[in-house]
Amino acid sequence: MTLTVKDLETLQAQIPDHRLELVDGEIIVMSPSGYESDEVASEFSAQLRNWVRPRKLGRVTGSSAGFTLPNADTRAPDVSFVQAERLRKSPRSFAELAPDLMVEVKSPTDSLAKLREKIDTFLSLGTKVGILINPEQRWVEVRRSTQAPTTLHDGDTLTIPDLLPGWDVQVNDLWSPEFD
């Protein structure tokens, strides 16, 4: 039986404490992320949002914001950005488009291959830039459908000039701090 977005919305209302995605007509229950990976996702989101919002460039959301994609899947990246001209007003339900930027942060239980597959699916459906962040190994991979992936490490600066001209973040600023 192939499920629909309406089925997803109904089930999500019944179990609101679980994150769900609809992939190829099947509902997938998303497990909670690791603490470190969520902290890294929050930091990335904060850095991006604090730059985007005052400039009114678009919308930045976290892992609970779902997108109904052109292939009818409903997925939720860890962080996403949609340009203002593509989403003038926030929808009450899922956004019916592919975000311009999507970010996945590897949790201890995640497979790098599955995360890359998810990012590449978004790219094939219209997302311009996909970013994979691996806090365990301290690298950031920038993926675009038209180019080979680029990997950044501590000391490098992440920029996305084609989508966010002028925005940058130091890779080492994304990691969880250690307190004395």
Short mmCIF file of all heavy atoms in Angstrom, two decimals, residues 90-156:
data_model
loop_
_atom_site.label_atom_id
_atom_site.label_comp_id
_atom_site.label_asym_id
_atom_site.label_seq_id
_atom_site.Cartn_x
_atom_site.Cartn_y
_atom_site.Cartn_z
N SER A 90 5.14 31.57 5.13
CA SER A 90 5.31 30.21 5.65
C SER A 90 4.00 29.43 5.55
O SER A 90 2.96 29.92 5.98
CB SER A 90 5.73 30.23 7.13
OG SER A 90 7.01 30.75 7.25
N PRO A 91 4.05 28.22 4.99
CA PRO A 91 2.84 27.40 4.95
C PRO A 91 2.55 26.82 6.33
O PRO A 91 3.45 26.62 7.14
CB PRO A 91 3.19 26.30 3.95
CG PRO A 91 4.67 26.19 4.01
CD PRO A 91 5.18 27.57 4.34
N ARG A 92 1.28 26.54 6.61
CA ARG A 92 0.92 25.96 7.90
C ARG A 92 1.32 24.49 7.95
O ARG A 92 1.62 23.96 9.01
CB ARG A 92 -0.58 26.11 8.15
CG ARG A 92 -0.95 27.59 8.28
CD ARG A 92 -2.18 27.87 9.06
NE ARG A 92 -2.40 27.12 10.27
CZ ARG A 92 -2.00 27.49 11.48
NH1 ARG A 92 -1.29 28.58 11.64
NH2 ARG A 92 -2.29 26.76 12.53
N SER A 93 1.36 23.83 6.83
CA SER A 93 1.74 22.42 6.78
C SER A 93 3.12 22.31 6.15
O SER A 93 3.98 23.16 6.38
CB SER A 93 0.69 21.64 5.98
OG SER A 93 0.95 20.26 6.04
N PHE A 94 3.34 21.30 5.33
CA PHE A 94 4.63 21.11 4.69
C PHE A 94 4.81 22.10 3.54
O PHE A 94 3.85 22.45 2.86
CB PHE A 94 4.75 19.69 4.15
CG PHE A 94 4.54 18.63 5.20
CD1 PHE A 94 3.50 17.72 5.10
CD2 PHE A 94 5.37 18.55 6.31
CE1 PHE A 94 3.30 16.75 6.06
CE2 PHE A 94 5.18 17.59 7.28
CZ PHE A 94 4.14 16.69 7.15
N ALA A 95 6.03 22.54 3.33
CA ALA A 95 6.33 23.39 2.18
C ALA A 95 6.36 22.48 0.95
O ALA A 95 6.99 21.42 0.97
CB ALA A 95 7.68 24.08 2.36
N GLU A 96 5.68 22.88 -0.10
CA GLU A 96 5.59 22.05 -1.30
C GLU A 96 6.62 22.49 -2.33
O GLU A 96 6.29 23.04 -3.37
CB GLU A 96 4.17 22.08 -1.84
CG GLU A 96 3.18 21.44 -0.87
CD GLU A 96 1.76 21.35 -1.40
OE1 GLU A 96 1.53 21.62 -2.60
OE2 GLU A 96 0.88 20.99 -0.59
N LEU A 97 7.88 22.25 -1.99
CA LEU A 97 9.00 22.58 -2.87
C LEU A 97 10.25 21.96 -2.28
O LEU A 97 10.26 21.49 -1.15
CB LEU A 97 9.15 24.10 -3.01
CG LEU A 97 9.19 24.98 -1.75
CD1 LEU A 97 10.48 24.86 -0.99
CD2 LEU A 97 8.97 26.42 -2.15
N ALA A 98 11.31 21.98 -3.06
CA ALA A 98 12.62 21.57 -2.56
C ALA A 98 13.32 22.82 -2.04
O ALA A 98 13.31 23.85 -2.72
CB ALA A 98 13.43 20.92 -3.66
N PRO A 99 13.91 22.78 -0.85
CA PRO A 99 14.62 23.96 -0.36
C PRO A 99 15.83 24.28 -1.24
O PRO A 99 16.34 23.41 -1.94
CB PRO A 99 15.06 23.54 1.05
CG PRO A 99 15.14 22.05 0.99
CD PRO A 99 14.08 21.62 0.03
N ASP A 100 16.27 25.52 -1.19
CA ASP A 100 17.45 25.91 -1.96
C ASP A 100 18.72 25.31 -1.36
O ASP A 100 19.65 24.95 -2.08
CB ASP A 100 17.55 27.43 -2.02
CG ASP A 100 16.39 28.03 -2.79
OD1 ASP A 100 16.31 27.77 -4.00
OD2 ASP A 100 15.56 28.71 -2.17
N LEU A 101 18.75 25.22 -0.04
CA LEU A 101 19.88 24.65 0.70
C LEU A 101 19.34 23.67 1.71
O LEU A 101 18.34 23.95 2.38
CB LEU A 101 20.64 25.76 1.43
CG LEU A 101 21.68 25.34 2.48
CD1 LEU A 101 22.89 24.69 1.81
CD2 LEU A 101 22.11 26.52 3.32
N MET A 102 19.96 22.50 1.78
CA MET A 102 19.60 21.55 2.83
C MET A 102 20.87 21.01 3.46
O MET A 102 21.90 20.89 2.80
CB MET A 102 18.70 20.42 2.31
CG MET A 102 19.28 19.55 1.22
SD MET A 102 20.21 18.12 1.82
CE MET A 102 18.99 17.15 2.60
N VAL A 103 20.79 20.75 4.78
CA VAL A 103 21.96 20.33 5.54
C VAL A 103 21.59 19.07 6.32
O VAL A 103 20.53 19.01 6.94
CB VAL A 103 22.39 21.44 6.54
CG1 VAL A 103 23.59 20.99 7.36
CG2 VAL A 103 22.68 22.74 5.80
N GLU A 104 22.47 18.10 6.30
CA GLU A 104 22.35 16.91 7.13
C GLU A 104 23.58 16.83 8.02
O GLU A 104 24.71 17.03 7.55
CB GLU A 104 22.26 15.64 6.27
CG GLU A 104 20.94 15.48 5.55
CD GLU A 104 19.77 15.29 6.49
OE1 GLU A 104 19.90 14.54 7.48
OE2 GLU A 104 18.70 15.88 6.23
N VAL A 105 23.37 16.56 9.31
CA VAL A 105 24.46 16.41 10.27
C VAL A 105 24.48 14.96 10.71
O VAL A 105 23.47 14.45 11.20
CB VAL A 105 24.29 17.36 11.48
CG1 VAL A 105 25.46 17.20 12.44
CG2 VAL A 105 24.17 18.81 11.01
N LYS A 106 25.61 14.31 10.55
CA LYS A 106 25.72 12.89 10.88
C LYS A 106 25.64 12.66 12.38
O LYS A 106 26.40 13.24 13.15
CB LYS A 106 27.03 12.31 10.35
CG LYS A 106 27.12 10.80 10.57
CD LYS A 106 28.46 10.25 10.17
CE LYS A 106 28.54 8.75 10.40
NZ LYS A 106 28.21 8.32 11.76
N SER A 107 24.69 11.81 12.76
CA SER A 107 24.58 11.33 14.15
C SER A 107 25.36 10.03 14.25
O SER A 107 25.67 9.40 13.23
CB SER A 107 23.11 11.05 14.49
OG SER A 107 22.40 12.24 14.59
N PRO A 108 25.64 9.57 15.47
CA PRO A 108 26.39 8.32 15.63
C PRO A 108 25.75 7.12 14.93
O PRO A 108 26.45 6.23 14.46
CB PRO A 108 26.43 8.11 17.14
CG PRO A 108 26.31 9.49 17.70
CD PRO A 108 25.41 10.23 16.75
N THR A 109 24.43 7.10 14.80
CA THR A 109 23.76 5.95 14.19
C THR A 109 23.50 6.11 12.70
O THR A 109 23.01 5.20 12.05
CB THR A 109 22.41 5.67 14.89
OG1 THR A 109 21.61 6.86 14.81
CG2 THR A 109 22.61 5.28 16.35
N ASP A 110 23.84 7.28 12.13
CA ASP A 110 23.60 7.53 10.70
C ASP A 110 24.65 6.88 9.83
O ASP A 110 25.82 6.75 10.21
CB ASP A 110 23.62 9.04 10.40
CG ASP A 110 22.38 9.76 10.86
OD1 ASP A 110 21.32 9.13 10.98
OD2 ASP A 110 22.48 10.98 11.10
N SER A 111 24.24 6.53 8.64
CA SER A 111 25.14 6.01 7.61
C SER A 111 25.50 7.16 6.67
O SER A 111 24.60 7.86 6.17
CB SER A 111 24.42 4.90 6.83
OG SER A 111 24.90 4.79 5.52
N LEU A 112 26.79 7.35 6.42
CA LEU A 112 27.21 8.40 5.48
C LEU A 112 26.60 8.16 4.10
O LEU A 112 26.17 9.10 3.43
CB LEU A 112 28.73 8.47 5.39
CG LEU A 112 29.44 9.13 6.57
CD1 LEU A 112 30.95 8.97 6.45
CD2 LEU A 112 29.07 10.60 6.68
N ALA A 113 26.55 6.90 3.68
CA ALA A 113 25.99 6.58 2.36
C ALA A 113 24.52 6.99 2.27
O ALA A 113 24.09 7.57 1.28
CB ALA A 113 26.15 5.10 2.06
N LYS A 114 23.75 6.72 3.31
CA LYS A 114 22.32 7.09 3.33
C LYS A 114 22.14 8.60 3.35
O LYS A 114 21.24 9.14 2.71
CB LYS A 114 21.60 6.46 4.52
CG LYS A 114 21.47 4.97 4.44
CD LYS A 114 20.27 4.60 3.62
CE LYS A 114 20.02 3.11 3.75
NZ LYS A 114 19.12 2.63 2.73
N LEU A 115 22.98 9.30 4.11
CA LEU A 115 22.89 10.76 4.16
C LEU A 115 23.23 11.37 2.80
O LEU A 115 22.56 12.29 2.33
CB LEU A 115 23.80 11.33 5.25
CG LEU A 115 23.38 11.00 6.68
CD1 LEU A 115 24.45 11.48 7.66
CD2 LEU A 115 22.03 11.61 7.01
N ARG A 116 24.26 10.84 2.15
CA ARG A 116 24.62 11.33 0.81
C ARG A 116 23.50 11.04 -0.18
O ARG A 116 23.19 11.86 -1.05
CB ARG A 116 25.93 10.70 0.35
CG ARG A 116 27.14 11.30 1.05
CD ARG A 116 28.44 10.69 0.56
NE ARG A 116 29.57 11.36 1.15
CZ ARG A 116 30.50 10.75 1.90
NH1 ARG A 116 30.43 9.45 2.15
NH2 ARG A 116 31.50 11.46 2.40
N GLU A 117 22.88 9.87 -0.05
CA GLU A 117 21.76 9.52 -0.92
C GLU A 117 20.59 10.50 -0.72
O GLU A 117 19.98 10.95 -1.69
CB GLU A 117 21.31 8.09 -0.61
CG GLU A 117 20.17 7.57 -1.44
CD GLU A 117 19.77 6.17 -1.03
OE1 GLU A 117 20.67 5.30 -0.88
OE2 GLU A 117 18.56 5.92 -0.86
N LYS A 118 20.30 10.83 0.53
CA LYS A 118 19.23 11.79 0.81
C LYS A 118 19.55 13.15 0.20
O LYS A 118 18.71 13.77 -0.46
CB LYS A 118 19.02 11.92 2.32
CG LYS A 118 17.90 12.87 2.73
CD LYS A 118 17.70 12.87 4.24
CE LYS A 118 16.58 13.81 4.66
NZ LYS A 118 16.35 13.79 6.12
N ILE A 119 20.78 13.62 0.40
CA ILE A 119 21.19 14.91 -0.16
C ILE A 119 21.09 14.88 -1.69
O ILE A 119 20.55 15.81 -2.31
CB ILE A 119 22.61 15.29 0.30
CG1 ILE A 119 22.61 15.59 1.80
CG2 ILE A 119 23.16 16.46 -0.50
CD1 ILE A 119 23.99 15.71 2.42
N ASP A 120 21.58 13.81 -2.31
CA ASP A 120 21.56 13.72 -3.77
C ASP A 120 20.14 13.67 -4.31
O ASP A 120 19.86 14.21 -5.39
CB ASP A 120 22.39 12.53 -4.24
CG ASP A 120 23.88 12.73 -4.03
OD1 ASP A 120 24.31 13.88 -3.78
OD2 ASP A 120 24.63 11.74 -4.11
N THR A 121 19.22 13.07 -3.55
CA THR A 121 17.81 13.08 -3.96
C THR A 121 17.28 14.51 -3.97
O THR A 121 16.63 14.94 -4.92
CB THR A 121 16.96 12.19 -3.03
OG1 THR A 121 17.41 10.83 -3.14
CG2 THR A 121 15.48 12.26 -3.38
N PHE A 122 17.56 15.26 -2.90
CA PHE A 122 17.15 16.66 -2.85
C PHE A 122 17.74 17.43 -4.03
O PHE A 122 17.05 18.22 -4.68
CB PHE A 122 17.58 17.31 -1.53
CG PHE A 122 16.57 17.19 -0.42
CD1 PHE A 122 16.47 16.03 0.32
CD2 PHE A 122 15.73 18.26 -0.11
CE1 PHE A 122 15.56 15.92 1.36
CE2 PHE A 122 14.81 18.15 0.93
CZ PHE A 122 14.72 16.98 1.67
N LEU A 123 19.02 17.21 -4.31
CA LEU A 123 19.67 17.91 -5.43
C LEU A 123 19.00 17.57 -6.76
O LEU A 123 18.81 18.45 -7.60
CB LEU A 123 21.17 17.58 -5.47
CG LEU A 123 22.01 18.11 -4.31
CD1 LEU A 123 23.42 17.53 -4.36
CD2 LEU A 123 22.04 19.63 -4.28
N SER A 124 18.62 16.34 -6.94
CA SER A 124 17.98 15.93 -8.20
C SER A 124 16.58 16.53 -8.34
O SER A 124 16.03 16.59 -9.43
CB SER A 124 17.92 14.40 -8.30
OG SER A 124 16.93 13.87 -7.43
N LEU A 125 16.00 16.97 -7.22
CA LEU A 125 14.64 17.52 -7.22
C LEU A 125 14.61 19.04 -7.15
O LEU A 125 13.55 19.63 -6.97
CB LEU A 125 13.84 16.91 -6.07
CG LEU A 125 13.61 15.40 -6.18
CD1 LEU A 125 13.04 14.85 -4.89
CD2 LEU A 125 12.71 15.08 -7.37
N GLY A 126 15.78 19.68 -7.27
CA GLY A 126 15.79 21.14 -7.35
C GLY A 126 16.57 21.88 -6.28
O GLY A 126 16.74 23.10 -6.39
N THR A 127 17.01 21.20 -5.23
CA THR A 127 17.84 21.86 -4.24
C THR A 127 19.16 22.25 -4.90
O THR A 127 19.73 21.47 -5.66
CB THR A 127 18.06 20.93 -3.02
OG1 THR A 127 16.80 20.72 -2.39
CG2 THR A 127 19.04 21.52 -2.02
N LYS A 128 19.64 23.46 -4.61
CA LYS A 128 20.87 23.94 -5.25
C LYS A 128 22.13 23.45 -4.56
O LYS A 128 23.12 23.12 -5.21
CB LYS A 128 20.86 25.47 -5.29
CG LYS A 128 19.75 26.01 -6.18
CD LYS A 128 19.66 27.52 -6.11
CE LYS A 128 18.49 27.97 -6.97
NZ LYS A 128 18.05 29.30 -6.65
N VAL A 129 22.10 23.43 -3.21
CA VAL A 129 23.29 23.05 -2.44
C VAL A 129 22.87 22.13 -1.30
O VAL A 129 21.91 22.42 -0.59
CB VAL A 129 24.01 24.29 -1.86
CG1 VAL A 129 25.23 23.88 -1.05
CG2 VAL A 129 24.41 25.26 -2.96
N GLY A 130 23.59 21.04 -1.15
CA GLY A 130 23.40 20.12 -0.03
C GLY A 130 24.70 20.06 0.76
O GLY A 130 25.78 19.99 0.18
N ILE A 131 24.58 20.10 2.07
CA ILE A 131 25.77 20.07 2.92
C ILE A 131 25.65 18.90 3.89
O ILE A 131 24.61 18.71 4.52
CB ILE A 131 25.93 21.40 3.70
CG1 ILE A 131 26.18 22.54 2.71
CG2 ILE A 131 27.05 21.31 4.73
CD1 ILE A 131 26.28 23.90 3.33
N LEU A 132 26.72 18.13 3.97
CA LEU A 132 26.83 17.03 4.92
C LEU A 132 27.89 17.40 5.93
O LEU A 132 29.03 17.72 5.56
CB LEU A 132 27.21 15.73 4.19
CG LEU A 132 27.49 14.51 5.06
CD1 LEU A 132 26.32 14.17 5.96
CD2 LEU A 132 27.86 13.33 4.17
N ILE A 133 27.52 17.39 7.21
CA ILE A 133 28.45 17.75 8.28
C ILE A 133 28.72 16.51 9.11
O ILE A 133 27.78 15.85 9.56
CB ILE A 133 27.87 18.88 9.16
CG1 ILE A 133 27.57 20.12 8.32
CG2 ILE A 133 28.84 19.21 10.30
CD1 ILE A 133 26.90 21.25 9.08
N ASN A 134 30.00 16.21 9.33
CA ASN A 134 30.39 15.06 10.13
C ASN A 134 31.16 15.55 11.36
O ASN A 134 32.36 15.77 11.30
CB ASN A 134 31.25 14.10 9.31
CG ASN A 134 31.54 12.81 10.04
OD1 ASN A 134 31.52 12.75 11.26
ND2 ASN A 134 31.81 11.76 9.29
N PRO A 135 30.45 15.73 12.49
CA PRO A 135 31.13 16.24 13.69
C PRO A 135 32.17 15.27 14.25
O PRO A 135 33.16 15.71 14.84
CB PRO A 135 29.99 16.42 14.71
CG PRO A 135 28.72 16.29 13.96
CD PRO A 135 29.03 15.56 12.70
N GLU A 136 31.95 13.97 14.07
CA GLU A 136 32.89 12.97 14.60
C GLU A 136 34.27 13.13 13.98
O GLU A 136 35.28 13.02 14.66
CB GLU A 136 32.38 11.55 14.33
CG GLU A 136 31.07 11.23 14.99
CD GLU A 136 30.43 9.96 14.43
OE1 GLU A 136 31.16 9.08 13.91
OE2 GLU A 136 29.19 9.86 14.50
N GLN A 137 34.31 13.37 12.67
CA GLN A 137 35.58 13.49 11.96
C GLN A 137 35.92 14.93 11.59
O GLN A 137 36.94 15.18 10.95
CB GLN A 137 35.56 12.60 10.71
CG GLN A 137 35.43 11.13 11.08
CD GLN A 137 35.42 10.23 9.87
OE1 GLN A 137 35.44 10.68 8.73
NE2 GLN A 137 35.40 8.95 10.11
N ARG A 138 35.04 15.85 11.99
CA ARG A 138 35.27 17.29 11.84
C ARG A 138 35.53 17.70 10.39
O ARG A 138 36.53 18.32 10.07
CB ARG A 138 36.40 17.75 12.76
CG ARG A 138 36.02 17.58 14.23
CD ARG A 138 37.15 17.93 15.16
NE ARG A 138 37.44 19.35 15.17
CZ ARG A 138 37.10 20.20 16.13
NH1 ARG A 138 36.47 19.75 17.19
NH2 ARG A 138 37.43 21.47 16.06
N TRP A 139 34.56 17.35 9.52
CA TRP A 139 34.61 17.83 8.16
C TRP A 139 33.20 18.18 7.67
O TRP A 139 32.20 17.74 8.23
CB TRP A 139 35.29 16.87 7.20
CG TRP A 139 34.81 15.44 7.14
CD1 TRP A 139 35.43 14.35 7.67
CD2 TRP A 139 33.62 14.94 6.49
NE1 TRP A 139 34.69 13.21 7.40
CE2 TRP A 139 33.59 13.55 6.67
CE3 TRP A 139 32.59 15.54 5.77
CZ2 TRP A 139 32.57 12.75 6.16
CZ3 TRP A 139 31.56 14.74 5.27
CH2 TRP A 139 31.58 13.36 5.46
N VAL A 140 33.19 19.02 6.64
CA VAL A 140 31.96 19.48 6.01
C VAL A 140 32.09 19.20 4.52
O VAL A 140 33.09 19.57 3.90
CB VAL A 140 31.75 21.00 6.23
CG1 VAL A 140 30.56 21.52 5.45
CG2 VAL A 140 31.62 21.31 7.72
N GLU A 141 31.09 18.55 3.95
CA GLU A 141 31.09 18.22 2.53
C GLU A 141 30.00 19.04 1.84
O GLU A 141 28.84 18.98 2.24
CB GLU A 141 30.83 16.73 2.34
CG GLU A 141 30.91 16.23 0.93
CD GLU A 141 30.72 14.73 0.87
OE1 GLU A 141 29.55 14.29 0.78
OE2 GLU A 141 31.73 14.00 0.96
N VAL A 142 30.38 19.79 0.82
CA VAL A 142 29.43 20.61 0.07
C VAL A 142 29.15 19.88 -1.24
O VAL A 142 30.06 19.58 -2.01
CB VAL A 142 30.00 22.02 -0.20
CG1 VAL A 142 28.99 22.87 -0.97
CG2 VAL A 142 30.40 22.70 1.10
N ARG A 143 27.84 19.64 -1.48
CA ARG A 143 27.43 18.87 -2.66
C ARG A 143 26.52 19.74 -3.54
O ARG A 143 25.65 20.43 -3.04
CB ARG A 143 26.71 17.59 -2.25
CG ARG A 143 27.58 16.69 -1.37
CD ARG A 143 26.85 15.45 -0.88
NE ARG A 143 26.61 14.48 -1.91
CZ ARG A 143 27.51 13.60 -2.35
NH1 ARG A 143 28.73 13.58 -1.83
NH2 ARG A 143 27.20 12.73 -3.30
N ARG A 144 26.77 19.66 -4.83
CA ARG A 144 25.93 20.31 -5.84
C ARG A 144 25.72 19.29 -6.96
O ARG A 144 26.61 18.48 -7.23
CB ARG A 144 26.61 21.55 -6.41
CG ARG A 144 26.74 22.70 -5.43
CD ARG A 144 27.49 23.87 -6.11
NE ARG A 144 27.48 25.07 -5.31
CZ ARG A 144 28.30 25.32 -4.30
NH1 ARG A 144 29.20 24.43 -3.94
NH2 ARG A 144 28.22 26.45 -3.63
N SER A 145 24.59 19.37 -7.63
CA SER A 145 24.32 18.38 -8.68
C SER A 145 25.26 18.53 -9.87
O SER A 145 25.47 17.59 -10.61
CB SER A 145 22.86 18.47 -9.14
OG SER A 145 22.59 19.75 -9.65
N THR A 146 25.83 19.71 -10.05
CA THR A 146 26.64 19.99 -11.24
C THR A 146 28.15 19.88 -11.01
O THR A 146 28.92 20.13 -11.94
CB THR A 146 26.33 21.40 -11.75
OG1 THR A 146 26.60 22.33 -10.69
CG2 THR A 146 24.87 21.53 -12.17
N GLN A 147 28.59 19.54 -9.78
CA GLN A 147 30.02 19.51 -9.48
C GLN A 147 30.36 18.35 -8.55
O GLN A 147 29.49 17.83 -7.86
CB GLN A 147 30.46 20.79 -8.77
CG GLN A 147 29.99 22.06 -9.33
CD GLN A 147 30.38 23.26 -8.47
OE1 GLN A 147 31.05 23.16 -7.45
NE2 GLN A 147 29.95 24.43 -8.89
N ALA A 148 31.63 18.03 -8.52
CA ALA A 148 32.11 17.04 -7.55
C ALA A 148 32.03 17.66 -6.16
O ALA A 148 32.17 18.87 -6.00
CB ALA A 148 33.55 16.65 -7.87
N PRO A 149 31.79 16.83 -5.13
CA PRO A 149 31.74 17.36 -3.75
C PRO A 149 33.06 18.00 -3.34
O PRO A 149 34.13 17.61 -3.79
CB PRO A 149 31.47 16.12 -2.90
CG PRO A 149 30.93 15.10 -3.84
CD PRO A 149 31.54 15.40 -5.18
N THR A 150 32.95 19.01 -2.48
CA THR A 150 34.10 19.68 -1.90
C THR A 150 34.09 19.41 -0.40
O THR A 150 33.05 19.56 0.24
CB THR A 150 34.01 21.21 -2.13
OG1 THR A 150 33.89 21.46 -3.52
CG2 THR A 150 35.22 21.92 -1.57
N THR A 151 35.24 19.02 0.15
CA THR A 151 35.33 18.74 1.58
C THR A 151 36.17 19.82 2.26
O THR A 151 37.26 20.16 1.80
CB THR A 151 35.94 17.35 1.85
OG1 THR A 151 35.15 16.38 1.15
CG2 THR A 151 35.94 17.03 3.33
N LEU A 152 35.61 20.35 3.36
CA LEU A 152 36.28 21.38 4.14
C LEU A 152 36.61 20.85 5.52
O LEU A 152 35.86 20.02 6.06
CB LEU A 152 35.38 22.62 4.26
CG LEU A 152 34.88 23.22 2.94
CD1 LEU A 152 33.83 24.29 3.21
CD2 LEU A 152 36.03 23.79 2.14
N HIS A 153 37.69 21.36 6.11
CA HIS A 153 38.13 20.93 7.44
C HIS A 153 38.36 22.15 8.33
O HIS A 153 38.23 23.28 7.87
CB HIS A 153 39.42 20.11 7.33
CG HIS A 153 39.26 18.87 6.51
ND1 HIS A 153 39.45 18.84 5.16
CD2 HIS A 153 38.89 17.62 6.87
CE1 HIS A 153 39.23 17.62 4.71
NE2 HIS A 153 38.88 16.86 5.72
N ASP A 154 38.76 21.91 9.57
CA ASP A 154 39.10 23.01 10.47
C ASP A 154 40.12 23.92 9.78
O ASP A 154 41.04 23.44 9.11
CB ASP A 154 39.71 22.46 11.77
CG ASP A 154 38.65 21.84 12.67
OD1 ASP A 154 37.45 22.06 12.44
OD2 ASP A 154 39.03 21.13 13.61
N GLY A 155 39.93 25.22 9.95
CA GLY A 155 40.79 26.20 9.30
C GLY A 155 40.22 26.68 7.97
O GLY A 155 40.63 27.72 7.46
N ASP A 156 39.26 25.93 7.40
CA ASP A 156 38.62 26.33 6.14
C ASP A 156 37.40 27.19 6.44
O ASP A 156 36.84 27.15 7.54
CB ASP A 156 38.18 25.11 5.33
CG ASP A 156 39.35 24.29 4.79
OD1 ASP A 156 40.43 24.86 4.57
OD2 ASP A 156 39.16 23.07 4.60
#
